[in-house]
Amino acid sequence: MAEQSVLIMDAQHMDRALTRIAHEIIERNPHLEDVVLVGIHRRGVPLAQTLADKIEQYEHVRVDMGMLDITFYRDDLSLLAELPIVKGSSIQVPLHGRTVILVDDVLYTGRTVRAAMDAVIDFDRPRAIQLAVLVDRGHRELPIKADYVGKNVPTSYRETIQVHVQQIDGDNIVWLHKDSVHSEESRA
């Protein structure tokens, strides 16, 4: 079956969505010094950096940041490559009593987020964990809901969402691929 690709967000739409998410984070978290943005590798990290930049632009407060690799927390680790690529986690600030906002590109089954929550709790005990995603495509297998969503895109199981970010891919764009077969990394 032939693959069809549909552009669902260009750079301008991504910027608008991230700006809105940044404003929602500011409104919901009046004490920004207690907020830590934690990007989930891979594309959640540059998205978290963009959100931190936007929050600083609007509120003149630089929120703390971290990066999280959930590879060894995944419940499908045995289904991944024999030697999975580990990117490493880096959270250099205390999380105890603070609000951690996990940032990811696509929310799908919820399994990545569950793994990320387990990883965060292994670091420390935050007061709360919130979730910000650029795209929510539905099909949850776990009872997880994002607090901040850039765009809801209902999909079928045969479709995939592919997010490109400038820092990794050279552009900011989101594609919906219909009837596609992609590698595990691009399937979200």
PDB file of all heavy atoms in Angstrom, residues 78-101:
ATOM      1  N   SER A  78      13.037  -5.803  26.007  1.00  0.00           N
ATOM      2  CA  SER A  78      13.452  -7.052  25.353  1.00  0.00           C
ATOM      3  C   SER A  78      13.054  -7.083  23.879  1.00  0.00           C
ATOM      4  O   SER A  78      13.604  -7.863  23.108  1.00  0.00           O
ATOM      5  CB  SER A  78      12.851  -8.253  26.077  1.00  0.00           C
ATOM      6  OG  SER A  78      11.441  -8.216  25.979  1.00  0.00           O
ATOM      7  N   LEU A  79      12.117  -6.236  23.466  1.00  0.00           N
ATOM      8  CA  LEU A  79      11.692  -6.191  22.068  1.00  0.00           C
ATOM      9  C   LEU A  79      12.530  -5.229  21.240  1.00  0.00           C
ATOM     10  O   LEU A  79      12.440  -5.219  20.018  1.00  0.00           O
ATOM     11  CB  LEU A  79      10.216  -5.787  21.976  1.00  0.00           C
ATOM     12  CG  LEU A  79       9.233  -6.680  22.722  1.00  0.00           C
ATOM     13  CD1 LEU A  79       7.828  -6.108  22.627  1.00  0.00           C
ATOM     14  CD2 LEU A  79       9.276  -8.104  22.193  1.00  0.00           C
ATOM     15  N   LEU A  80      13.323  -4.388  21.923  1.00  0.00           N
ATOM     16  CA  LEU A  80      14.170  -3.437  21.214  1.00  0.00           C
ATOM     17  C   LEU A  80      15.412  -4.142  20.691  1.00  0.00           C
ATOM     18  O   LEU A  80      15.585  -5.337  20.859  1.00  0.00           O
ATOM     19  CB  LEU A  80      14.581  -2.292  22.152  1.00  0.00           C
ATOM     20  CG  LEU A  80      13.447  -1.397  22.647  1.00  0.00           C
ATOM     21  CD1 LEU A  80      13.989  -0.385  23.651  1.00  0.00           C
ATOM     22  CD2 LEU A  80      12.752  -0.699  21.501  1.00  0.00           C
ATOM     23  N   ALA A  81      16.274  -3.398  20.091  1.00  0.00           N
ATOM     24  CA  ALA A  81      17.525  -3.957  19.571  1.00  0.00           C
ATOM     25  C   ALA A  81      18.291  -4.672  20.682  1.00  0.00           C
ATOM     26  O   ALA A  81      18.153  -4.342  21.859  1.00  0.00           O
ATOM     27  CB  ALA A  81      18.375  -2.844  18.981  1.00  0.00           C
ATOM     28  N   GLU A  82      19.125  -5.608  20.294  1.00  0.00           N
ATOM     29  CA  GLU A  82      19.907  -6.371  21.264  1.00  0.00           C
ATOM     30  C   GLU A  82      20.765  -5.457  22.126  1.00  0.00           C
ATOM     31  O   GLU A  82      20.916  -5.665  23.317  1.00  0.00           O
ATOM     32  CB  GLU A  82      20.778  -7.382  20.523  1.00  0.00           C
ATOM     33  CG  GLU A  82      21.239  -8.510  21.400  1.00  0.00           C
ATOM     34  CD  GLU A  82      21.887  -9.607  20.578  1.00  0.00           C
ATOM     35  OE1 GLU A  82      21.229 -10.153  19.679  1.00  0.00           O
ATOM     36  OE2 GLU A  82      23.067  -9.889  20.854  1.00  0.00           O
ATOM     37  N   LEU A  83      21.329  -4.422  21.513  1.00  0.00           N
ATOM     38  CA  LEU A  83      22.117  -3.426  22.244  1.00  0.00           C
ATOM     39  C   LEU A  83      21.467  -2.059  22.032  1.00  0.00           C
ATOM     40  O   LEU A  83      21.822  -1.331  21.121  1.00  0.00           O
ATOM     41  CB  LEU A  83      23.566  -3.403  21.740  1.00  0.00           C
ATOM     42  CG  LEU A  83      24.371  -4.659  22.006  1.00  0.00           C
ATOM     43  CD1 LEU A  83      25.716  -4.589  21.297  1.00  0.00           C
ATOM     44  CD2 LEU A  83      24.562  -4.873  23.490  1.00  0.00           C
ATOM     45  N   PRO A  84      20.488  -1.709  22.888  1.00  0.00           N
ATOM     46  CA  PRO A  84      19.804  -0.434  22.696  1.00  0.00           C
ATOM     47  C   PRO A  84      20.757   0.750  22.883  1.00  0.00           C
ATOM     48  O   PRO A  84      21.735   0.670  23.622  1.00  0.00           O
ATOM     49  CB  PRO A  84      18.721  -0.432  23.772  1.00  0.00           C
ATOM     50  CG  PRO A  84      19.177  -1.421  24.784  1.00  0.00           C
ATOM     51  CD  PRO A  84      20.025  -2.419  24.060  1.00  0.00           C
ATOM     52  N   ILE A  85      20.464   1.831  22.183  1.00  0.00           N
ATOM     53  CA  ILE A  85      21.269   3.048  22.287  1.00  0.00           C
ATOM     54  C   ILE A  85      20.835   3.804  23.532  1.00  0.00           C
ATOM     55  O   ILE A  85      19.661   4.161  23.674  1.00  0.00           O
ATOM     56  CB  ILE A  85      21.098   3.929  21.039  1.00  0.00           C
ATOM     57  CG1 ILE A  85      21.582   3.169  19.802  1.00  0.00           C
ATOM     58  CG2 ILE A  85      21.831   5.258  21.201  1.00  0.00           C
ATOM     59  CD1 ILE A  85      21.231   3.832  18.495  1.00  0.00           C
ATOM     60  N   VAL A  86      21.771   4.035  24.438  1.00  0.00           N
ATOM     61  CA  VAL A  86      21.490   4.752  25.673  1.00  0.00           C
ATOM     62  C   VAL A  86      22.082   6.150  25.551  1.00  0.00           C
ATOM     63  O   VAL A  86      23.259   6.314  25.266  1.00  0.00           O
ATOM     64  CB  VAL A  86      22.082   4.009  26.894  1.00  0.00           C
ATOM     65  CG1 VAL A  86      21.831   4.780  28.170  1.00  0.00           C
ATOM     66  CG2 VAL A  86      21.519   2.604  26.983  1.00  0.00           C
ATOM     67  N   LYS A  87      21.235   7.156  25.736  1.00  0.00           N
ATOM     68  CA  LYS A  87      21.671   8.545  25.579  1.00  0.00           C
ATOM     69  C   LYS A  87      22.054   9.182  26.911  1.00  0.00           C
ATOM     70  O   LYS A  87      22.699  10.200  26.941  1.00  0.00           O
ATOM     71  CB  LYS A  87      20.570   9.343  24.887  1.00  0.00           C
ATOM     72  CG  LYS A  87      20.314   8.850  23.467  1.00  0.00           C
ATOM     73  CD  LYS A  87      18.960   9.309  22.973  1.00  0.00           C
ATOM     74  CE  LYS A  87      18.573   8.596  21.715  1.00  0.00           C
ATOM     75  NZ  LYS A  87      18.091   7.248  21.908  1.00  0.00           N
ATOM     76  N   GLY A  88      21.627   8.604  28.002  1.00  0.00           N
ATOM     77  CA  GLY A  88      21.984   9.103  29.323  1.00  0.00           C
ATOM     78  C   GLY A  88      21.020  10.148  29.839  1.00  0.00           C
ATOM     79  O   GLY A  88      20.448  10.915  29.083  1.00  0.00           O
ATOM     80  N   SER A  89      20.842  10.138  31.135  1.00  0.00           N
ATOM     81  CA  SER A  89      20.002  11.120  31.814  1.00  0.00           C
ATOM     82  C   SER A  89      20.883  12.138  32.492  1.00  0.00           C
ATOM     83  O   SER A  89      21.997  11.826  32.925  1.00  0.00           O
ATOM     84  CB  SER A  89      19.111  10.440  32.858  1.00  0.00           C
ATOM     85  OG  SER A  89      18.205   9.558  32.234  1.00  0.00           O
ATOM     86  N   SER A  90      20.385  13.346  32.590  1.00  0.00           N
ATOM     87  CA  SER A  90      21.112  14.399  33.282  1.00  0.00           C
ATOM     88  C   SER A  90      20.115  15.323  33.966  1.00  0.00           C
ATOM     89  O   SER A  90      19.457  16.131  33.304  1.00  0.00           O
ATOM     90  CB  SER A  90      21.971  15.199  32.295  1.00  0.00           C
ATOM     91  OG  SER A  90      22.586  16.292  32.958  1.00  0.00           O
ATOM     92  N   ILE A  91      19.990  15.134  35.268  1.00  0.00           N
ATOM     93  CA  ILE A  91      19.154  16.023  36.073  1.00  0.00           C
ATOM     94  C   ILE A  91      20.048  16.498  37.219  1.00  0.00           C
ATOM     95  O   ILE A  91      20.306  15.757  38.154  1.00  0.00           O
ATOM     96  CB  ILE A  91      17.892  15.314  36.583  1.00  0.00           C
ATOM     97  CG1 ILE A  91      17.050  14.829  35.400  1.00  0.00           C
ATOM     98  CG2 ILE A  91      17.071  16.257  37.471  1.00  0.00           C
ATOM     99  CD1 ILE A  91      15.812  14.035  35.770  1.00  0.00           C
ATOM    100  N   GLN A  92      20.537  17.713  37.074  1.00  0.00           N
ATOM    101  CA  GLN A  92      21.547  18.236  38.004  1.00  0.00           C
ATOM    102  C   GLN A  92      20.959  19.064  39.142  1.00  0.00           C
ATOM    103  O   GLN A  92      21.708  19.703  39.873  1.00  0.00           O
ATOM    104  CB  GLN A  92      22.558  19.101  37.228  1.00  0.00           C
ATOM    105  CG  GLN A  92      23.225  18.384  36.063  1.00  0.00           C
ATOM    106  CD  GLN A  92      24.096  17.231  36.524  1.00  0.00           C
ATOM    107  OE1 GLN A  92      24.766  17.308  37.532  1.00  0.00           O
ATOM    108  NE2 GLN A  92      24.059  16.147  35.776  1.00  0.00           N
ATOM    109  N   VAL A  93      19.640  19.082  39.267  1.00  0.00           N
ATOM    110  CA  VAL A  93      18.982  19.881  40.303  1.00  0.00           C
ATOM    111  C   VAL A  93      18.122  18.964  41.157  1.00  0.00           C
ATOM    112  O   VAL A  93      17.663  17.913  40.687  1.00  0.00           O
ATOM    113  CB  VAL A  93      18.110  21.006  39.682  1.00  0.00           C
ATOM    114  CG1 VAL A  93      18.984  22.000  38.921  1.00  0.00           C
ATOM    115  CG2 VAL A  93      17.028  20.444  38.788  1.00  0.00           C
ATOM    116  N   PRO A  94      17.889  19.348  42.408  1.00  0.00           N
ATOM    117  CA  PRO A  94      17.017  18.515  43.242  1.00  0.00           C
ATOM    118  C   PRO A  94      15.574  18.573  42.739  1.00  0.00           C
ATOM    119  O   PRO A  94      15.108  19.613  42.276  1.00  0.00           O
ATOM    120  CB  PRO A  94      17.149  19.131  44.639  1.00  0.00           C
ATOM    121  CG  PRO A  94      17.671  20.501  44.425  1.00  0.00           C
ATOM    122  CD  PRO A  94      18.426  20.497  43.136  1.00  0.00           C
ATOM    123  N   LEU A  95      14.880  17.445  42.825  1.00  0.00           N
ATOM    124  CA  LEU A  95      13.489  17.373  42.405  1.00  0.00           C
ATOM    125  C   LEU A  95      12.526  17.330  43.587  1.00  0.00           C
ATOM    126  O   LEU A  95      11.337  17.573  43.426  1.00  0.00           O
ATOM    127  CB  LEU A  95      13.253  16.134  41.534  1.00  0.00           C
ATOM    128  CG  LEU A  95      14.098  16.003  40.263  1.00  0.00           C
ATOM    129  CD1 LEU A  95      13.750  14.728  39.522  1.00  0.00           C
ATOM    130  CD2 LEU A  95      13.930  17.219  39.382  1.00  0.00           C
ATOM    131  N   HIS A  96      13.054  17.039  44.759  1.00  0.00           N
ATOM    132  CA  HIS A  96      12.217  16.865  45.947  1.00  0.00           C
ATOM    133  C   HIS A  96      11.349  18.107  46.190  1.00  0.00           C
ATOM    134  O   HIS A  96      11.855  19.229  46.260  1.00  0.00           O
ATOM    135  CB  HIS A  96      13.059  16.573  47.190  1.00  0.00           C
ATOM    136  CG  HIS A  96      12.218  16.271  48.385  1.00  0.00           C
ATOM    137  ND1 HIS A  96      11.628  15.047  48.578  1.00  0.00           N
ATOM    138  CD2 HIS A  96      11.834  17.051  49.414  1.00  0.00           C
ATOM    139  CE1 HIS A  96      10.930  15.085  49.687  1.00  0.00           C
ATOM    140  NE2 HIS A  96      11.035  16.290  50.224  1.00  0.00           N
ATOM    141  N   GLY A  97      10.048  17.891  46.270  1.00  0.00           N
ATOM    142  CA  GLY A  97       9.125  18.976  46.571  1.00  0.00           C
ATOM    143  C   GLY A  97       8.849  19.917  45.417  1.00  0.00           C
ATOM    144  O   GLY A  97       8.152  20.923  45.583  1.00  0.00           O
ATOM    145  N   ARG A  98       9.376  19.627  44.255  1.00  0.00           N
ATOM    146  CA  ARG A  98       9.204  20.513  43.094  1.00  0.00           C
ATOM    147  C   ARG A  98       8.221  19.902  42.097  1.00  0.00           C
ATOM    148  O   ARG A  98       7.880  18.733  42.185  1.00  0.00           O
ATOM    149  CB  ARG A  98      10.559  20.756  42.432  1.00  0.00           C
ATOM    150  CG  ARG A  98      11.532  21.444  43.412  1.00  0.00           C
ATOM    151  CD  ARG A  98      12.876  21.645  42.828  1.00  0.00           C
ATOM    152  NE  ARG A  98      12.847  22.807  41.929  1.00  0.00           N
ATOM    153  CZ  ARG A  98      13.887  23.197  41.208  1.00  0.00           C
ATOM    154  NH1 ARG A  98      15.028  22.522  41.262  1.00  0.00           N
ATOM    155  NH2 ARG A  98      13.807  24.250  40.428  1.00  0.00           N
ATOM    156  N   THR A  99       7.811  20.704  41.131  1.00  0.00           N
ATOM    157  CA  THR A  99       6.943  20.226  40.053  1.00  0.00           C
ATOM    158  C   THR A  99       7.805  19.890  38.850  1.00  0.00           C
ATOM    159  O   THR A  99       8.480  20.764  38.306  1.00  0.00           O
ATOM    160  CB  THR A  99       5.897  21.297  39.672  1.00  0.00           C
ATOM    161  OG1 THR A  99       5.069  21.547  40.811  1.00  0.00           O
ATOM    162  CG2 THR A  99       5.033  20.817  38.511  1.00  0.00           C
ATOM    163  N   VAL A 100       7.796  18.638  38.457  1.00  0.00           N
ATOM    164  CA  VAL A 100       8.518  18.190  37.284  1.00  0.00           C
ATOM    165  C   VAL A 100       7.535  18.161  36.119  1.00  0.00           C
ATOM    166  O   VAL A 100       6.459  17.566  36.222  1.00  0.00           O
ATOM    167  CB  VAL A 100       9.126  16.790  37.500  1.00  0.00           C
ATOM    168  CG1 VAL A 100       9.670  16.223  36.200  1.00  0.00           C
ATOM    169  CG2 VAL A 100      10.208  16.839  38.570  1.00  0.00           C
ATOM    170  N   ILE A 101       7.906  18.820  35.032  1.00  0.00           N
ATOM    171  CA  ILE A 101       7.092  18.766  33.825  1.00  0.00           C
ATOM    172  C   ILE A 101       7.863  17.953  32.796  1.00  0.00           C
ATOM    173  O   ILE A 101       8.896  18.390  32.285  1.00  0.00           O
ATOM    174  CB  ILE A 101       6.767  20.168  33.283  1.00  0.00           C
ATOM    175  CG1 ILE A 101       6.024  20.979  34.346  1.00  0.00           C
ATOM    176  CG2 ILE A 101       5.934  20.057  31.997  1.00  0.00           C
ATOM    177  CD1 ILE A 101       5.732  22.408  33.958  1.00  0.00           C
TER     178      ILE A 101
END
